[in-house]
Amino acid sequence: MAADLAPFTELTGIGVNIVTLELSALAQKVALDFASGNGEYDVVYADPYLVLAPYAPAFADLRAFQEDPALPGLPGGFGDFIPSHLDAAGRFRDGDKVLALPYDCPTMVWQYRADLFEKHRDRMADDLGFDPMPSADSTWEQYFATARWFNDRTDDVQYGTGHKAKQHDSLMCDFSNLLWAYGGDYFDDGPAVGRLGTDDPGPCRLRSERAVAGAEFYERLLSVADPASRTWDWDGVGSAFRSGRFAMCPNWHEYAAANEQAMPGKVGYARLPKGPVRSAGMYGGTGIAVSDTIPPGRQKAAWLFLAWATAPRTQVTVLASKVGGGTPTRTSVYARQEVADAAHRPSKMPNMLSSDAVRDTWKPGNIGLRPKIPMWGECDTALFTEVSRMLAGDTKPAEAMQEPPTVSTASSPEGG
């Protein structure tokens, strides 16, 4: 988006200055801006967990702009956004208010060296007793066995799998896929807490047998993964995969463009494997919102930017960008012929190569939604700290799941 803002300025006469920050720094900047009332930022990249949930009262309800006859409306209205995205990235508690428009939608899928799977498929099937090619029936136990096969039976790669298991937010994301696959969750009614959010999620459920089983499997899986996994966040594991260190990994689907540039035609994509309960892939999408601390005139200008930045035409342009491009959050964009065609090689929009896998992951039964609560930052840190200790051998899975504290009511501060 930042690489091609000229069309918006030409259309409206409004200049746009984008301040790019690491996510935790962004959350701190926004918190200070809201608390001071200075209104420095008109549009905010409102991460659902670190920004939208804690500071929801400081964002304007976008329905007022959409219903204002003096302002341009959204093409297709709110209903054109993928419903789970609009709820998870755009709402907090209230199912009617819209506080942000879904802007991006990174989601974790299974990325694998299709060339190596094809090369060794028959031998792997004979050795393992199942077809190793990723499919809707693939399980995490099969993923584990396949990873170990690559470790032991071929020199094409050093390891079978790699993970973003650094003591970092990335570890929470990687682990959560297994937690949900095994039927565990963070709180009661996890899907609702993840989709709309709440101030009071009730007691923590990480102590359940299913959550512990997910942690036990994750510990076992990491024991056969590339040892460098414990030093990688998402950028690290993505770079290592593209360098040919390992055969497969869970990672954000929007790395497809970089994968295709580094290894054209060699990478395949699938929904993550099933556990005993379901398949789950972490959704990491975020919306863009209008600050309610700025004057009405600036709010209307900010609305123009939101409407333009999320418009179908703009989403297609961004998808085709030479600097990588994001993937669409609107249903109508996926229905366009040039976008549908890009899901197959040769592709002019290489991030679409993962579209079948990610759209399967977005189905209600497969999407992984972390808790959208004001205190998620603290919970996240507790979780990835204890799981990191578990991977280091300092604690057992059951002990690690005992550590994260129970979260009780946490109210959103008025105006941040």
Side-chain angles (χ1 to χ4, degrees):
M1 180 68 69
D4 192 16
L5 291 169
F8 175 74
T9 300
E10 292 169 1
L11 181 67
T12 64
I14 299 170
V16 181
N17 296 314
I18 295 181
V19 179
T20 305
L21 300 164
E22 189 273 331
L23 183 57
S24 60
L26 179 148
Q28 292 172 1
K29 284 270 191 181
V30 170
L32 290 172
D33 189 44
F34 288 161
S36 67
N38 288 337
E40 183 177 353
Y41 305 111
D42 302 277
V43 174
V44 174
Y45 182 76
D47 178 82
Y49 315 98
L50 298 183
V51 176
L52 187 66
Y55 309 114
F59 293 111
D61 185 351
L62 302 180
R63 294 177 301 174
F65 305 116
Q66 173 70 357
E67 295 164 5
D68 187 338
L71 294 173
L74 299 170
F78 296 120
D80 189 34
F81 290 99
I82 296 168
S84 57
H85 297 190
L86 186 62
D87 284 350
R91 294 187 166 109
F92 181 63
R93 295 179 304 180
D94 190 326
D96 294 322
K97 277 187 179 181
V98 180
L99 301 178
L101 298 183
Y103 173 72
D104 61 21
C105 52
T107 303
M108 289 182 68
V109 299
W110 186 352
Q111 305 186 15
Y112 63 96
R113 287 287 300 276
D115 59 330
L116 299 184
F117 274 72
E118 288 288 357
K119 176 182 178 180
H120 299 296
R121 184 174 186 175
D122 292 342
R123 190 157 65 100
M124 291 168 69
D126 288 342
D127 291 347
L128 297 172
F130 59 84
D131 185 352
M133 291 301 289
S135 72
D137 296 321
S138 297
T139 68
W140 276 111
E141 287 289 353
Q142 291 173 341
Y143 184 101
F144 174 88
T146 301
R148 192 164 54 180
W149 189 95
F150 274 104
N151 287 357
D152 299 338
R153 301 300 300 275
T154 179
D155 294 327
D156 287 327
V157 288
Q158 292 175 264
Y159 300 97
T161 184
H163 294 262
K164 41 180 153 290
K166 181 179 179 179
Q167 187 172 326
H168 180 271
D169 181 53
S170 59
L171 174 55
M172 177 278 300
C173 293
D174 199 57
F175 167 73
S176 293
N177 299 319
L178 274 303
L179 172 71
W180 294 319
Y182 273 72
D185 215 325
Y186 290 97
F187 301 100
D188 287 336
D189 200 11
V193 174
R195 187 150 180 163
L196 284 180
T198 181
D199 284 326
D200 184 4
C204 178
R205 294 305 183 202
L206 289 175
R207 299 175 176 88
S208 72
E209 291 183 5
R210 289 180 173 181
V212 172
E216 290 172 342
F217 180 84
Y218 189 69
E219 179 187 48
R220 185 157 60 94
L221 178 61
L222 267 291
S223 73
V224 301
D226 188 323
S229 294
R230 290 185 55 220
T231 70
W232 292 331
D233 56 17
W234 28 74
D235 288 336
V237 79
S239 296
F241 179 60
R242 291 190 295 276
S243 74
R245 283 183 63 103
F246 44 83
M248 57 185 180
C249 63
N251 208 358
W252 304 115
H253 80 282
E254 291 184 337
Y255 278 89
N259 291 343
E260 193 67 7
Q261 185 176 24
M263 299 182 288
K266 293 183 178 181
V267 181
Y269 303 90
R271 189 189 73 194
L272 286 175
K274 296 186 299 185
V277 174
R278 68 177 180 121
S279 168
M282 170 68 78
Y283 166 82
T286 291
I288 46 178
V290 175
S291 170
D292 205 29
T293 65
I294 60 175
R298 284 171 58 190
Q299 288 190 12
K300 292 178 180 179
W303 167 254
L304 295 181
F305 180 77
L306 262 64
W308 175 83
T310 62
R313 180 185 298 179
T314 307
Q315 291 203 347
V316 172
T317 300
V318 171
L319 179 61
S321 170
K322 292 181 179 180
V323 298
T327 43
T329 58
R330 286 177 169 272
T331 302
S332 64
V333 176
Y334 289 93
R336 295 193 176 201
Q337 191 61 52
E338 72 269 33
V339 174
D341 290 345
H344 310 283
R345 294 182 175 96
S347 176
K348 295 180 180 179
M349 305 171 182
N351 267 336
M352 283 300 295
L353 294 173
S354 58
S355 63
D356 288 344
V358 77
R359 294 181 76 186
D360 191 8
T361 304
W362 290 337
K363 293 177 180 177
N366 299 332
I367 193 168
L369 297 170
R370 76 198 83 170
K372 189 162 56 173
I373 58 175
M375 288 185 67
W376 176 246
E378 294 88 336
C379 294
D380 183 11
T381 300
L383 188 282
F384 68 65
T385 298
E386 292 306 318
V387 175
S388 181
R389 292 183 64 233
M390 177 188 80
L391 297 180
D394 295 337
T395 186
K396 300 295 184 183
E399 296 169 349
M401 293 299 97
Q402 287 286 330
E403 287 300 321
T406 297
V407 177
S408 56
T409 303
S411 298
S412 297
E414 290 297 322

